[in-house]
Short mmCIF file of all heavy atoms in Angstrom, two decimals:
data_model
loop_
_atom_site.label_atom_id
_atom_site.label_comp_id
_atom_site.label_asym_id
_atom_site.label_seq_id
_atom_site.Cartn_x
_atom_site.Cartn_y
_atom_site.Cartn_z
N ARG A 394 19.69 12.30 14.10
CA ARG A 394 18.53 11.54 14.33
C ARG A 394 17.92 11.58 15.78
O ARG A 394 18.89 11.63 16.75
CB ARG A 394 18.68 10.09 13.96
CG ARG A 394 18.70 9.84 12.53
CD ARG A 394 18.69 8.40 12.21
NE ARG A 394 20.05 8.34 11.64
CZ ARG A 394 20.92 7.37 11.87
NH1 ARG A 394 20.58 6.47 12.77
NH2 ARG A 394 21.98 7.46 11.36
N GLU A 395 16.79 11.67 15.80
CA GLU A 395 16.10 11.85 17.23
C GLU A 395 16.20 10.45 18.01
O GLU A 395 16.20 9.33 17.39
CB GLU A 395 14.56 12.17 17.04
CG GLU A 395 14.39 13.46 16.53
CD GLU A 395 12.98 13.93 16.47
OE1 GLU A 395 12.37 13.57 17.49
OE2 GLU A 395 12.61 14.68 15.58
N LYS A 396 16.13 10.50 19.27
CA LYS A 396 16.26 9.23 20.18
C LYS A 396 14.77 8.94 20.61
O LYS A 396 14.62 8.06 21.33
CB LYS A 396 17.10 9.47 21.30
CG LYS A 396 18.53 9.69 20.92
CD LYS A 396 19.03 8.33 20.36
CE LYS A 396 20.64 8.40 20.16
NZ LYS A 396 21.14 7.25 19.57
N ASN A 397 13.87 9.56 20.07
CA ASN A 397 12.40 9.19 20.32
C ASN A 397 12.06 7.80 19.77
O ASN A 397 12.31 7.62 18.68
CB ASN A 397 11.52 10.39 19.61
CG ASN A 397 10.11 10.10 19.74
OD1 ASN A 397 9.63 9.10 19.73
ND2 ASN A 397 9.38 11.18 19.86
N ALA A 398 11.52 6.96 20.66
CA ALA A 398 11.15 5.61 20.20
C ALA A 398 10.20 5.54 19.03
O ALA A 398 10.45 4.83 18.08
CB ALA A 398 10.59 4.85 21.44
N LEU A 399 9.27 6.38 19.02
CA LEU A 399 8.20 6.42 17.96
C LEU A 399 8.87 6.86 16.65
O LEU A 399 8.65 6.20 15.59
CB LEU A 399 7.06 7.33 18.29
CG LEU A 399 5.90 7.35 17.22
CD1 LEU A 399 5.38 5.88 17.15
CD2 LEU A 399 4.84 8.23 17.67
N MET A 400 9.76 7.77 16.66
CA MET A 400 10.45 8.35 15.59
C MET A 400 11.41 7.31 15.03
O MET A 400 11.59 7.07 13.82
CB MET A 400 11.08 9.62 15.82
CG MET A 400 12.03 10.23 14.56
SD MET A 400 10.87 10.61 13.16
CE MET A 400 10.19 12.13 13.80
N THR A 401 12.00 6.50 16.02
CA THR A 401 12.93 5.41 15.55
C THR A 401 12.17 4.36 14.82
O THR A 401 12.64 3.94 13.67
CB THR A 401 13.58 4.93 16.77
OG1 THR A 401 14.44 5.85 17.39
CG2 THR A 401 14.48 3.62 16.38
N VAL A 402 11.09 4.00 15.24
CA VAL A 402 10.25 2.96 14.62
C VAL A 402 9.75 3.53 13.24
O VAL A 402 9.84 2.73 12.33
CB VAL A 402 8.98 2.60 15.44
CG1 VAL A 402 8.06 1.63 14.69
CG2 VAL A 402 9.53 1.86 16.69
N ALA A 403 9.44 4.70 13.11
CA ALA A 403 9.11 5.34 11.80
C ALA A 403 10.12 5.33 10.94
O ALA A 403 9.95 5.00 9.69
CB ALA A 403 8.41 6.68 12.10
N GLN A 404 11.31 5.75 11.23
CA GLN A 404 12.43 5.72 10.48
C GLN A 404 12.93 4.39 9.91
O GLN A 404 13.15 4.19 8.79
CB GLN A 404 13.66 6.39 11.11
CG GLN A 404 13.55 7.83 11.34
CD GLN A 404 14.59 8.41 12.38
OE1 GLN A 404 15.04 7.70 13.23
NE2 GLN A 404 14.92 9.62 12.07
N ILE A 405 12.85 3.43 10.78
CA ILE A 405 13.09 2.01 10.45
C ILE A 405 12.14 1.48 9.48
O ILE A 405 12.37 0.79 8.49
CB ILE A 405 13.24 1.14 11.72
CG1 ILE A 405 14.36 1.54 12.58
CG2 ILE A 405 13.20 -0.32 11.34
CD1 ILE A 405 14.31 0.82 13.91
N ALA A 406 10.83 1.73 9.73
CA ALA A 406 9.75 1.31 8.89
C ALA A 406 9.96 1.85 7.43
O ALA A 406 9.76 1.18 6.37
CB ALA A 406 8.38 1.58 9.43
N ALA A 407 10.26 3.22 7.43
CA ALA A 407 10.39 3.87 6.08
C ALA A 407 11.56 3.29 5.30
O ALA A 407 11.52 3.07 4.12
CB ALA A 407 10.60 5.44 6.33
N THR A 408 12.69 3.13 6.06
CA THR A 408 13.87 2.58 5.47
C THR A 408 13.61 1.18 4.91
O THR A 408 13.95 0.82 3.79
CB THR A 408 15.06 2.52 6.40
OG1 THR A 408 15.26 3.89 6.84
CG2 THR A 408 16.33 2.02 5.72
N PHE A 409 12.89 0.43 5.72
CA PHE A 409 12.56 -1.00 5.28
C PHE A 409 11.66 -1.00 4.03
O PHE A 409 11.99 -1.61 3.08
CB PHE A 409 11.83 -1.70 6.39
CG PHE A 409 11.47 -3.02 6.14
CD1 PHE A 409 12.33 -4.07 6.18
CD2 PHE A 409 10.05 -3.44 5.79
CE1 PHE A 409 12.07 -5.34 5.85
CE2 PHE A 409 9.71 -4.73 5.45
CZ PHE A 409 10.67 -5.67 5.50
N ALA A 410 10.64 -0.10 3.95
CA ALA A 410 9.79 -0.06 2.92
C ALA A 410 10.57 0.45 1.54
O ALA A 410 10.44 -0.16 0.44
CB ALA A 410 8.62 0.96 3.10
N LEU A 411 11.39 1.48 1.78
CA LEU A 411 12.15 1.88 0.65
C LEU A 411 13.12 0.77 0.13
O LEU A 411 13.34 0.66 -1.11
CB LEU A 411 12.98 3.17 0.93
CG LEU A 411 12.11 4.44 1.17
CD1 LEU A 411 12.89 5.53 1.82
CD2 LEU A 411 11.45 4.92 -0.13
N THR A 412 13.76 0.19 1.01
CA THR A 412 14.66 -1.00 0.60
C THR A 412 14.00 -2.01 -0.02
O THR A 412 14.40 -2.55 -1.12
CB THR A 412 15.47 -1.38 1.83
OG1 THR A 412 16.07 -0.31 2.53
CG2 THR A 412 16.53 -2.48 1.55
N MET A 413 12.82 -2.42 0.51
CA MET A 413 12.09 -3.42 -0.23
C MET A 413 11.64 -3.13 -1.54
O MET A 413 11.49 -3.93 -2.49
CB MET A 413 10.79 -3.88 0.66
CG MET A 413 11.12 -4.59 2.02
SD MET A 413 11.91 -6.18 1.66
CE MET A 413 13.54 -5.71 2.20
N ALA A 414 11.17 -1.81 -1.82
CA ALA A 414 10.89 -1.32 -3.02
C ALA A 414 12.09 -1.53 -4.03
O ALA A 414 11.85 -1.79 -5.20
CB ALA A 414 10.29 0.16 -2.98
N GLY A 415 13.14 -1.21 -3.52
CA GLY A 415 14.43 -1.29 -4.38
C GLY A 415 14.70 -2.69 -4.80
O GLY A 415 15.12 -2.94 -5.95
N TRP A 416 14.29 -3.68 -4.04
CA TRP A 416 14.52 -5.15 -4.36
C TRP A 416 13.61 -5.46 -5.56
O TRP A 416 14.07 -6.43 -6.39
CB TRP A 416 14.29 -6.04 -3.23
CG TRP A 416 15.34 -5.99 -2.16
CD1 TRP A 416 15.14 -5.63 -0.91
CD2 TRP A 416 16.74 -6.17 -2.32
NE1 TRP A 416 16.36 -5.65 -0.19
CE2 TRP A 416 17.37 -6.03 -1.16
CE3 TRP A 416 17.65 -6.60 -3.48
CZ2 TRP A 416 18.74 -5.94 -0.95
CZ3 TRP A 416 18.99 -6.66 -3.23
CH2 TRP A 416 19.54 -6.36 -2.06
N LEU A 417 12.56 -4.77 -5.83
CA LEU A 417 11.84 -5.02 -7.04
C LEU A 417 12.81 -4.87 -8.21
O LEU A 417 12.54 -5.70 -9.22
CB LEU A 417 10.61 -4.13 -7.14
CG LEU A 417 9.51 -4.34 -6.11
CD1 LEU A 417 8.45 -3.33 -6.30
CD2 LEU A 417 8.83 -5.75 -6.31
N PHE A 418 13.42 -3.83 -8.39
CA PHE A 418 14.40 -3.57 -9.54
C PHE A 418 15.35 -4.76 -9.61
O PHE A 418 15.75 -5.23 -10.71
CB PHE A 418 15.19 -2.39 -9.32
CG PHE A 418 14.39 -1.09 -9.41
CD1 PHE A 418 14.26 -0.23 -8.36
CD2 PHE A 418 13.72 -0.68 -10.64
CE1 PHE A 418 13.47 0.87 -8.47
CE2 PHE A 418 13.01 0.44 -10.71
CZ PHE A 418 12.99 1.21 -9.61
N PHE A 419 15.84 -5.33 -8.47
CA PHE A 419 16.78 -6.41 -8.47
C PHE A 419 16.19 -7.65 -9.06
O PHE A 419 16.93 -8.40 -9.71
CB PHE A 419 17.28 -6.56 -7.03
CG PHE A 419 18.73 -7.16 -6.95
CD1 PHE A 419 19.82 -6.37 -7.02
CD2 PHE A 419 18.78 -8.49 -6.77
CE1 PHE A 419 21.01 -6.90 -6.95
CE2 PHE A 419 20.11 -9.02 -6.70
CZ PHE A 419 21.21 -8.24 -6.76
N ARG A 420 14.92 -7.83 -8.78
CA ARG A 420 14.26 -9.09 -9.05
C ARG A 420 13.70 -9.27 -10.50
O ARG A 420 13.70 -10.36 -11.11
CB ARG A 420 13.09 -9.25 -8.05
CG ARG A 420 12.09 -10.36 -8.39
CD ARG A 420 12.69 -11.77 -8.14
NE ARG A 420 11.86 -12.77 -8.29
CZ ARG A 420 11.45 -13.43 -9.43
NH1 ARG A 420 11.98 -12.99 -10.59
NH2 ARG A 420 10.56 -14.33 -9.44
N VAL A 421 13.30 -8.13 -11.01
CA VAL A 421 12.58 -8.28 -12.36
C VAL A 421 13.52 -8.47 -13.54
O VAL A 421 14.74 -8.22 -13.59
CB VAL A 421 11.80 -6.90 -12.74
CG1 VAL A 421 10.74 -6.79 -11.52
CG2 VAL A 421 12.44 -5.67 -12.82
N SER A 422 12.98 -8.89 -14.65
CA SER A 422 13.69 -9.21 -15.85
C SER A 422 13.18 -8.29 -17.03
O SER A 422 13.78 -8.34 -17.99
CB SER A 422 13.60 -10.61 -16.23
OG SER A 422 12.39 -11.05 -16.46
N SER A 423 12.02 -7.60 -16.81
CA SER A 423 11.59 -6.72 -17.85
C SER A 423 10.75 -5.55 -17.10
O SER A 423 10.38 -5.61 -16.07
CB SER A 423 10.74 -7.42 -18.88
OG SER A 423 9.54 -7.79 -18.25
N MET A 424 10.62 -4.46 -17.93
CA MET A 424 9.80 -3.35 -17.46
C MET A 424 8.37 -3.77 -17.21
O MET A 424 7.73 -3.39 -16.41
CB MET A 424 9.94 -2.23 -18.35
CG MET A 424 11.19 -1.46 -18.38
SD MET A 424 11.59 -0.81 -16.77
CE MET A 424 10.50 0.71 -16.71
N GLU A 425 7.80 -4.66 -18.13
CA GLU A 425 6.49 -5.13 -18.05
C GLU A 425 6.40 -5.89 -16.69
O GLU A 425 5.24 -5.77 -16.04
CB GLU A 425 6.20 -6.07 -19.26
CG GLU A 425 6.05 -5.36 -20.61
CD GLU A 425 7.41 -5.06 -21.23
OE1 GLU A 425 8.33 -5.74 -20.82
OE2 GLU A 425 7.47 -4.15 -21.96
N GLN A 426 7.34 -6.63 -16.36
CA GLN A 426 7.19 -7.54 -15.13
C GLN A 426 7.25 -6.49 -13.95
O GLN A 426 6.56 -6.69 -13.04
CB GLN A 426 8.43 -8.48 -15.04
CG GLN A 426 8.31 -9.42 -13.91
CD GLN A 426 9.48 -10.44 -13.68
OE1 GLN A 426 10.45 -10.25 -14.34
NE2 GLN A 426 9.14 -11.59 -13.14
N LEU A 427 8.03 -5.50 -14.08
CA LEU A 427 8.14 -4.49 -12.98
C LEU A 427 6.67 -3.83 -12.75
O LEU A 427 6.21 -3.77 -11.80
CB LEU A 427 9.11 -3.47 -13.18
CG LEU A 427 9.26 -2.37 -12.27
CD1 LEU A 427 9.73 -2.82 -10.92
CD2 LEU A 427 10.20 -1.29 -12.67
N GLY A 428 6.11 -3.31 -13.90
CA GLY A 428 4.87 -2.88 -13.94
C GLY A 428 3.77 -3.79 -13.36
O GLY A 428 3.03 -3.35 -12.46
N ALA A 429 3.75 -5.03 -13.74
CA ALA A 429 2.87 -6.05 -13.17
C ALA A 429 3.06 -6.26 -11.67
O ALA A 429 2.08 -6.36 -10.85
CB ALA A 429 3.01 -7.33 -13.88
N MET A 430 4.24 -6.30 -11.21
CA MET A 430 4.58 -6.52 -9.72
C MET A 430 4.04 -5.31 -8.98
O MET A 430 3.37 -5.41 -7.87
CB MET A 430 6.04 -6.65 -9.48
CG MET A 430 6.46 -8.03 -9.96
SD MET A 430 8.24 -8.25 -9.71
CE MET A 430 8.35 -8.85 -8.21
#
């Protein structure tokens, strides 16, 4: 990983977004609910 501050922020933001997207699977109770969310 680069020690560049801008790259660090971009990596953290991307990881955060990917992780938050994954929590949708954790939260839903049906495929319809996932689609609606």
